[in-house]
Amino acid sequence: MSIGEIESRRHASTAPAAPSTRRAWLVTGLLFVFMLINFADKAVMGLAAKPMSETFGLDSAEYGHVASSFFLLFSISAVVIGVLANRVPTRWLLVGLAVVWSLSQAPMIWTTSIGVLFASRIVLGAAEGPAFGLANHSLHKWFVDSRRQLPSSVLALGSSVGTLLAAPALTWVIVHHGWREAFAAVAILGLVWCAAWVLLVRSEGPYGAESAPTQAAPVANAAIEDHTSYWRIFLSGTSIGSLALGFAAYFGLAISVAWLPRFLQESRGFSMTGAGNATAVFWAVAGLFILGTGILSQRLTLAGITTTWSRGMLSAALVFGGGLCTIAGVMVHSPMGSLILLMIGLGAPTSVFAITQTLAGEIAPVRQRGAVLGVGVGISTLAGVIAPTVMGNLLDSASDTVAGYNNGFTVVAMVCVAAAMVGAALIRPGRDAARLRTISSS
């Protein structure tokens, strides 16, 4: 039995009252919108890549450096805020992040300085780095472990829907009003979300550490509430395998966010509007993978399939398949066939973000879950620091643009295949949860 399952049973008997389904799903909906805006913020950079690069006089490598600068503090802040989430109410941390990421984009409305451009992206990345881990930590407080996968996938779906809606909408703003106005639009959306969250969410949920029994009311499984070494958690096979899968998925995601619209224009001959619409199709494909995988994973878990298979092996298969489709997309000569394969190859791995967070929550003691989820996001998203720069450098060093993009996507495929093999070999949540529980009890 995993720590998550024991936690669920313990809360069922000790929590004063289970949350209403309506309240739990209201929180899920608001966090879905939170991630939607979060990824619209990311997408606007790629959509405005060409006119913005022209304004600042950036070549491919320089644009790649700007795109990577977004991730400079991304991972560090995910770790720091994740640790802080063990002590500070999650709902207030979420508001703070959304306010900072909205205000950080204000300079983009007027600046002509490359230094200010870099600073704006770095601050935005620092504010958005903890978002996914923190949102999952908040969400896990409203659902028992066996029923977390679907809402976690809905949360992750916000990333796809955010870019799906942002691609045509922000492209229209860029074409008809200018790229600076697009940055202003997403900044305003973030502030509107803050107001809605503060008004509608006034508690943390019954399955968080805040609702855990005190020493005055011990329970049979109180050892779960003991502190377990973070080193032991992160050196477990499940953690290493999950982090490898998350790193590979984020490597492809960072390429997609920063380079996909520009790739479609430069390598496939799309207009800016056409590239925006095609980008929307890509994120629709990614969204179908995320939602479908979440539904399948939860059904398998509730049917009694071990989470090694319903979560771990399923994730490894998606990342492996994504790698194969990506390399096939490079090799296929048909432009449409290549595009379809690349969309599937880059889209399928995005569905593992929610599952890897659920796997981490399954083996982590509830009082340490915020830090574990935050550190996990921080490590996985280090791929975002590397991937855009790798693509930019490969483009500048290649004999032509098409060869440069093909080289970049080949690297993505290799990372995915290698990570899938690591994940399949190491992810065993039931085993690792039992080991950690034994260590915590001793």
Side-chain angles (χ1 to χ4, degrees):
M1 183 182 297
S2 72
I3 285 179
E5 291 169 333
I6 294 177
E7 171 200 334
S8 300
R9 293 187 181 185
R10 177 177 57 75
H11 277 294
S13 62
T14 61
S20 70
T21 301
R22 180 178 299 179
R23 172 62 56 177
W25 281 100
L26 170 64
V27 173
T28 303
L30 286 169
L31 291 173
F32 166 84
V33 176
F34 176 81
M35 292 306 302
L36 184 153
I37 298 170
N38 178 280
F39 268 77
D41 288 346
K42 293 181 178 71
V44 68
M45 180 75 170
L47 295 168
K50 282 185 73 68
M52 190 183 71
S53 294
E54 292 169 359
T55 299
F56 288 95
L58 305 174
D59 60 23
S60 294
E62 290 168 337
Y63 170 74
H65 295 324
V66 172
S68 287
S69 71
F70 173 84
F71 295 98
L72 189 62
L73 298 179
F74 195 94
S75 299
I76 295 172
S77 65
V79 173
V80 172
I81 300 299
V83 173
L84 189 62
N86 289 342
R87 299 171 176 82
V88 178
T90 315
R91 66 187 188 279
W92 292 118
L93 289 175
L94 289 167
V95 171
L97 292 181
V99 169
V100 173
W101 83 43
S102 293
L103 296 181
S104 70
Q105 298 190 86
M108 299 299 291
I109 301 172
W110 66 78
T111 187
T112 57
S113 165
I114 293 179
V116 174
L117 170 63
F118 270 100
S120 174
R121 299 306 296 176
I122 290 171
V123 173
L124 177 63
E128 294 201 342
F132 188 59
L134 194 63
N136 270 284
H137 182 45
S138 179
L139 188 66
H140 286 187
K141 297 179 182 183
W142 292 90
F143 295 90
V144 296
D145 177 76
S146 62
R147 295 189 177 275
R148 284 176 186 157
Q149 192 56 66
L150 180 56
S152 292
S153 294
V154 170
L155 175 63
L157 184 63
S159 62
S160 294
V161 175
T163 316
L164 171 65
L165 298 178
L170 293 177
T171 298
W172 183 88
V173 173
I174 292 167
V175 171
H176 291 88
H177 298 283
W179 65 267
R180 295 184 186 277
E181 284 73 10
F183 281 90
V186 291
I188 292 171
L189 283 175
L191 296 176
V192 171
W193 180 87
C194 289
W197 177 261
V198 170
L199 288 173
L200 296 174
V201 180
R202 299 178 181 275
S203 65
E204 290 289 294
Y207 299 117
E210 301 85 358
S211 302
T214 63
Q215 293 181 353
V219 295
N221 296 306
I224 290 182
E225 301 305 333
D226 292 343
H227 186 279
T228 298
S229 167
Y230 283 108
W231 282 111
R232 293 186 182 277
I233 293 173
F234 287 112
L235 290 177
S236 68
T238 297
S239 286
I240 294 172
S242 297
L243 291 172
L245 293 175
F247 182 91
Y250 216 93
F251 197 96
L253 178 67
I255 293 288
S256 302
V257 170
W259 285 103
L260 185 60
R262 188 164 171 172
F263 158 74
L264 293 171
Q265 294 173 69
E266 296 180 345
S267 182
R268 294 294 185 264
F270 282 70
S271 66
M272 179 174 289
T273 300
N277 292 335
T279 300
V281 173
F282 163 75
W283 287 105
V285 171
L288 290 174
F289 272 110
I290 292 171
L291 185 59
T293 300
I295 293 172
L296 175 60
S297 177
Q298 181 156 305
R299 285 185 176 179
L300 290 173
T301 302
L302 292 174
I305 304 298
T306 66
T307 51
T308 294
W309 288 95
S310 67
R311 292 173 180 172
M313 297 305 109
L314 179 60
S315 297
L318 286 162
V319 173
F320 186 79
L324 293 184
C325 286
T326 300
I327 196 66
V330 171
M331 294 179 170
V332 168
H333 295 295
S334 166
M336 185 55 65
S338 173
L339 184 59
I340 291 173
L341 285 167
L342 286 173
M343 284 186 172
I344 295 173
L346 295 170
T350 62
S351 59
V352 310
F353 293 129
I355 298 182
T356 55
Q357 288 277 289
T358 311
L359 282 168
E362 185 178 352
I363 67 172
V366 64
R367 294 188 187 278
Q368 295 172 266
R369 189 172 61 208
V372 171
L373 296 182
V375 172
V377 170
I379 294 174
S380 297
T381 54
L382 286 172
V385 180
I386 303 168
T389 294
V390 168
M391 180 66 88
N393 290 336
L394 288 172
L395 277 167
D396 277 356
S397 62
S399 57
D400 58 68
T401 301
V402 174
Y405 280 116
N406 286 346
N407 291 339
F409 289 127
T410 299
V411 172
V412 173
M414 293 170 63
V415 170
C416 285
V417 170
M421 296 174 67
V422 172
L426 297 181
I427 294 177
R428 302 292 185 274
R431 175 200 65 190
D432 291 334
R435 288 178 179 175
L436 291 169
R437 185 168 66 252
T438 300
I439 293 168
S440 179
S441 302
S442 60

